[in-house]
């Protein structure tokens, strides 16, 4: 127990994944974020709103840094996935608190007598790491929305029905262009196998191996989407009374395992604009009635997962359009979420009253096709999720007497990933030239502003807590950039190892089939080094690395440890020599040995032998660059910090560089509890309203 005086009695952290201080500052100055402006007016921050971020600038490591007050080389979460200690082709999922080597600050607050809620914090929060009865933890097993990793049973898809179609058809991983065609004519099944691109679900297995073999051109990453196409015809065979002019269709859910009949209905003006979905043609009441252009959430039905297990699920839907004569229609159907998953609620009884008062956990809206229609569906789906989260947090605070809240919202990060690269006019022009998008630059700027306005409204729903004596911190793990020249996709991907460049340089060798054709498997008997995860180069060392090839052959590392230093020097030199094919300029900002990466909060056994960062202007959205990188349209990679309420100065800008590792000890100082055991940061005492 700490004997320090508490200068705040209740503290709330409003974390927003991907929230950019640079873009926020611009919109605040333009009067477009009134709630964030109010937090700034009543609180303290740097004028640029910047929090100096750690590395790598990826969700699990940086939310863990915020929670522990130490960098990734101390807490051990150094990527979205953890590198297997022996097999360089294998990784384990990093969103597991049991991999974290440092104490989280919420253990300090709970054990210090404060009832503490950790709400969907995607960095070493689940499972709970303290037995304190004051600790309440909900999920934290994935980014996206709450329950995305544990409760989602199927993904988003588009549905189209037309009088020109004869039978329902489920098309998996379809080319996005079919979405526009799905109500015009009967489509061939153009399903694509993308398993090699996505790998296995990291949350479902202990070990995964992903080989990324991108060419680096925009068309190589064209988004895919599931599509269901069905008929429209006169309604027949119904046991219930239906209007004489009603038409019917059939919707396929769960990859076609569930078939639901639906009626196309007229309004009072005699125009078709409603869709009533039924469990079957004998059911008196519909599952839901959808009105054209209206998003409807909390739709309870049945669903199957990929193992063909059946659950009660919740979905969100939007009837996008319907011909006035009822000849065709199209709609968006969200992912499905199992409504009865209690495993990531601690204590579990909370989910019962949340379901009763707020509804079951809503699905994450997650689609990557860049059309206005799909983007607005994403935004609408996230609005439902955000409203639900606001209500759930308020309900839990009221019921449990919560005094400390650590919360996370993921809308900015996930939605930005679908379009932020196109905020760069140069890269956007290239995408339009490839035919990847027909959106204008102004469209993307508008989308970004709408996204931040949505987030501002979310933050505004907690403003009243300032008037109720709470101290509030707004922060993020990182932000996202629009790389000026288009990101260099051949290095720095978080999902696995990139092959192309290191194969060209002769460090990575791919297997060949019986015909001598190259296949997507690394030949570890000939590979000296490989790029893995976002910032790491690993040498295939004797005595350290052992791999199992697909044919069962066990292969030991081939690089003699005595040659390690010179091979590292050679690789770093070649990395610095890499030039962008268009600009002719370097694409590597920095490359250092593992021991030197301590300057950036990296290094140690969980990091590669070489740590590199892509140069500003060529980096990805986030994850592969220094946290101080800038992008087009006032974007950056830096996280944000604003503090307001008791214990903080009010209406003040500080010149202090506030570091990500300072957030946890600042919270401890405010509440008068002990600091986390491995904490490296210090209270940001220049922003406190007392002498620390």
């Amino acid at each position: 127990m700490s004997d320090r005086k508490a200068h705040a009695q209740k503290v709330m952290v409003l974390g927003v994944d991907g929230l950019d201080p640079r873009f926020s500052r611009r919109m605040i100055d333009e009067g477009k974020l009134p709630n964030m402006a109010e937090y700034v007016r009543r609180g303290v921050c740097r004028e640029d709103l910047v929090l100096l971020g750690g590395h790598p600038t990826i969700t699990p490591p940086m939310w863990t840094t915020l929670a522990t007050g130490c960098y990734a080389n101390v807490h051990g979460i150094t990527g979205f996935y953890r590198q297997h200690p022996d097999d360089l082709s294998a990784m384990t999922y990093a969103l597991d608190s049991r991999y974290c080597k440092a104490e989280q600050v919420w253990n300090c607050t709970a054990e210090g007598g404060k009832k503490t809620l950790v709400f969907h914090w995607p960095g070493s929060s689940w499972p709970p790491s303290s037995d304190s009865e004051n600790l309440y933890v909900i999920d934290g097993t994935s980014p996206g929305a709450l329950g995305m990793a544990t409760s989602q049973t199927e993904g988003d898809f588009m549905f189209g029905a037309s009088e020109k179609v004869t039978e329902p058809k489920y098309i998996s991983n379809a080319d996005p262009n079919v979405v526009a065609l799905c109500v015009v004519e009967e489509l061939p099944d153009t399903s694509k196998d993308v398993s090699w691109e996505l790998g296995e679900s990291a949350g479902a297995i202990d070990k995964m191996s992903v080989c990324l073999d991108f060419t680096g051109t925009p068309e190589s990453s064209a988004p895919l989407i599931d599509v269901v196409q069905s008929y429209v015809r006169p309604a027949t065979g119904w046991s219930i009374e239906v209007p004489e002019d009603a038409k019917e269709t059939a919707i396929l859910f769960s990859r076609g395992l569930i078939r639901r009949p639906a009626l196309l209905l007229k309004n009072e003006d005699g125009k078709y604009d409603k869709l009533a979905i039924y469990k079957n043609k004998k059911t008196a009441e519909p599952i839901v009635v959808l009105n054209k252009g209206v998003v409807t959430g909390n739709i309870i039905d049945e669903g199957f997962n990929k193992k063909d297990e059946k659950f009660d699920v919740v979905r969100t839907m939007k009837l996008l359009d319907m011909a006035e004569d009822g000849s065709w229609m199209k709609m968006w159907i969200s992912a499905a979420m199992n409504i009865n998953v209690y495993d990531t609620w601690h204590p579990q009884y909370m989910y019962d009253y949340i379901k009763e008062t707020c509804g079951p956990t809503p699905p994450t809206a997650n689609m990557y096709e860049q059309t206005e229609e799909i983007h607005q569906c994403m935004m609408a789906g996230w609005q439902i999720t955000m409203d639900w989260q606001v209500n759930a947090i308020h309900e839990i605070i009221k019921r449990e007497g919560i005094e400390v809240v650590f919360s996370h919202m993921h809308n900015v990060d996930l939605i930005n990933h679908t379009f932020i690269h196109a905020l760069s006019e140069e890269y956007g022009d290239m995408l339009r030239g490839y035919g990847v998008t027909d959106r204008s630059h102004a469209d993307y700027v508008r989308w970004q502003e709408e996204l931040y306005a949505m987030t501002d409204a979310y933050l505004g729903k907690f403003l009243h807590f300032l008037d109720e004596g709470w101290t509030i911190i707004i922060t993020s793990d990182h932000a996202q950039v629009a790389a000026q020249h288009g990101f260099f996709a051949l290095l720095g991907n978080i999902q696995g190892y990139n092959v192309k460049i290191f194969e060209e340089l002769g460090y990575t060798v791919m297997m060949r089939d019986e015909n001598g054709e190259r296949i997507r498997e690394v030949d570890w008997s000939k590979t000296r080094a490989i790029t893995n995860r976002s910032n790491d180069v690993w040498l295939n060392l004797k005595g350290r690395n052992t791999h199992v090839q697909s044919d069962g052959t066990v292969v030991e590392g081939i690089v003699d440890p005595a040659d390690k230093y010179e091979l590292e020097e050679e690789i770093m030199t070649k990395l610095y020599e890499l030039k962008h094919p268009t600009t002719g300029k370097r694409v590597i900002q920095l490359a250092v040995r593992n021991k030197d990466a301590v300057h950036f909060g990296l290094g140690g056994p969980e990091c590669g032998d070489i740590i590199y960062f892509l140069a500003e202007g060529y980096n990805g959205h986030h994850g592969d660059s220094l946290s101080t990188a800038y992008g087009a349209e006032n974007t950056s990679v830096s996280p944000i910090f604003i503090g307001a309420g008791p214990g903080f100065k009010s209406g003040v800008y500080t010149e202090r560089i506030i570091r990500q590792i300072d957030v946890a000890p600042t919270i401890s100082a405010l509440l008068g509890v002990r600091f986390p055991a491995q904490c490296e940061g210090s209270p940001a005492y220049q922003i406190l309203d007392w002498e620390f």
Side-chain angles (χ1 to χ4, degrees), residues 376-655:
Q376 296 305 330
C377 288
M378 284 264 292
M379 293 285 284
W382 270 103
Q383 188 62 64
I384 288 173
T385 294
M386 296 168 79
D387 290 344
W388 179 90
Q389 180 157 315
V390 167
N391 293 336
I393 290 174
H394 279 72
E395 189 69 21
I396 294 169
I397 289 173
K398 179 180 69 175
R399 295 233 188 184
E400 307 295 345
I402 298 296
E403 301 164 283
V404 183
V405 175
F406 295 88
S407 68
H408 152 265
M409 173 51 64
H410 209 83
N411 67 311
V412 172
D413 180 89
L414 194 147
I415 296 175
N416 259 168
H417 274 307
T418 69
F419 73 85
I420 196 169
H421 43 277
L423 282 177
S424 161
E425 288 194 75
E426 180 180 327
Y427 193 57
D429 288 343
M430 184 172 68
L431 291 174
R432 284 181 280 274
Y434 274 104
V436 175
T437 180
D438 61 357
R439 299 287 92 197
S440 70
H441 179 253
D443 285 334
Y444 290 120
V445 173
R446 171 173 54 82
W447 286 5
Q448 182 78 340
E449 291 189 353
E450 289 173 351
L451 175 58
Y452 272 67
M454 164 197 274
T455 306
D456 184 70
Y458 166 78
L459 295 172
K461 292 176 181 176
F462 296 96
L463 255 175
H464 69 91
F465 282 107
L466 286 179
D467 299 323
E468 297 167 19
W470 285 70
T471 299
I472 295 179
I473 292 172
I474 296 172
T475 192
S476 59
D477 53 340
H478 57 72
Q480 294 190 40
V481 296
Q484 192 66 50
H485 307 295
F487 71 94
F488 194 70
L490 302 179
L491 288 172
N493 197 293
I494 70 171
Q495 294 185 14
Y497 42 84
N498 291 92
V499 171
K500 185 176 175 61
I501 287 179
F502 267 52
E503 186 179 17
E504 292 175 352
L505 294 174
Y507 298 119
T508 300
V509 178
M510 303 302 287
M511 297 285 283
R512 303 276 170 171
D513 63 17
E514 61 275 11
N515 299 317
E517 296 294 325
R518 178 182 178 279
I519 60 175
R520 276 192 183 89
E521 182 180 0
V522 175
D523 185 344
W524 293 105
S525 68
K526 300 175 183 177
T527 290
R528 291 184 292 160
I530 197 158
T531 59
N532 206 352
R533 304 186 307 170
S534 55
N535 303 92
D536 298 324
V537 176
W538 293 84
L539 306 189
N540 188 16
L541 282 179
K542 289 181 181 178
R544 181 184 73 180
N545 301 120
T546 303
H547 313 87
V548 180
Q549 302 280 187
S550 60
D551 63 0
T553 304
V554 178
V555 181
E556 301 294 331
I558 65 171
V559 175
D560 192 314
D563 300 327
K564 180 176 183 286
Y565 188 92
E566 286 304 319
L567 182 55
E568 289 172 347
E569 185 69 22
E570 177 185 314
I571 291 172
M572 288 189 291
T573 299
K574 290 186 181 298
L575 284 173
Y576 281 122
E577 291 172 351
L578 290 174
K579 300 293 190 296
H580 192 272
T582 302
T583 67
K585 296 181 179 179
R586 64 185 173 91
V587 297
I588 297 296
Q589 176 94 347
L590 188 68
V592 298
R593 288 185 171 84
N594 183 291
K595 69 180 180 63
D596 302 318
V598 66
H599 292 285
F600 311 99
L602 292 170
E606 279 80 21
C607 287
D609 300 296
I610 296 170
I611 309 298
Y612 67 91
F613 300 95
L614 291 185
E616 182 176 280
Y618 306 97
N619 50 310
H621 302 169
H622 66 88
D624 54 14
S625 71
L626 293 172
S627 64
T628 47
Y630 282 179
E633 289 293 338
N634 295 98
T635 58
S636 73
V637 182
S638 293
I640 194 171
F641 180 91
I642 304 168
F648 283 130
K649 293 177 180 177
S650 177
V652 172
Y653 288 130
T654 181
E655 294 183 357

Side-chain angles (χ1 to χ4, degrees), residues 245-317:
D245 52 9
K247 298 184 180 183
E248 69 179 24
T249 187
I251 306 173
L252 302 182
F253 295 94
S254 301
R255 308 176 317 283
L257 296 177
I258 293 177
R259 180 169 174 157
R260 294 286 185 243
L263 293 173
L264 287 71
L265 302 171
K266 287 182 177 180
N267 60 22
E268 294 178 354
D269 297 327
K271 299 175 181 178
Y272 288 89
D273 69 348
K274 292 182 178 61
L275 185 74
I277 304 174
Y278 291 80
K279 185 170 184 178
N280 54 58
K281 290 187 175 182
K282 298 179 180 179
T283 308
E285 295 297 324
I287 296 169
V288 65
V289 177
L290 303 175
N291 293 289
K292 188 170 77 170
V294 178
V295 177
T296 304
N298 200 29
I299 302 170
I300 309 297
D301 194 10
E302 296 172 329
F304 286 88
N305 62 13
K306 290 184 178 180
K307 297 179 181 179
D308 292 345
E309 298 168 324
K310 194 174 184 180
F311 304 98
D312 289 328
V313 302
V314 60
R315 296 184 178 95
T316 302
M317 301 181 193

Side-chain angles (χ1 to χ4, degrees), residues 172-232:
S172 299
N173 300 315
D175 185 285
N177 292 321
V178 307
V179 176
L181 299 173
C182 67
V183 299
V184 178
E185 59 185 6
E186 193 152 1
L187 294 168
D189 188 337
T190 56
S191 298
K192 297 183 181 181
D193 177 11
V194 294
S195 59
W196 69 269
E197 293 180 289
L198 304 180
E200 297 288 340
S201 170
I205 56 177
D206 294 325
K207 181 176 173 180
M208 66 176 293
S209 175
V210 184
C211 176
L212 302 171
D213 199 13
F214 297 149
T215 65
T217 55
E219 66 266 33
S220 69
S221 57
L224 303 174
I225 191 168
D226 287 1
V227 171
V228 172
Q229 192 180 46
S230 191
Y231 55 76
V232 172

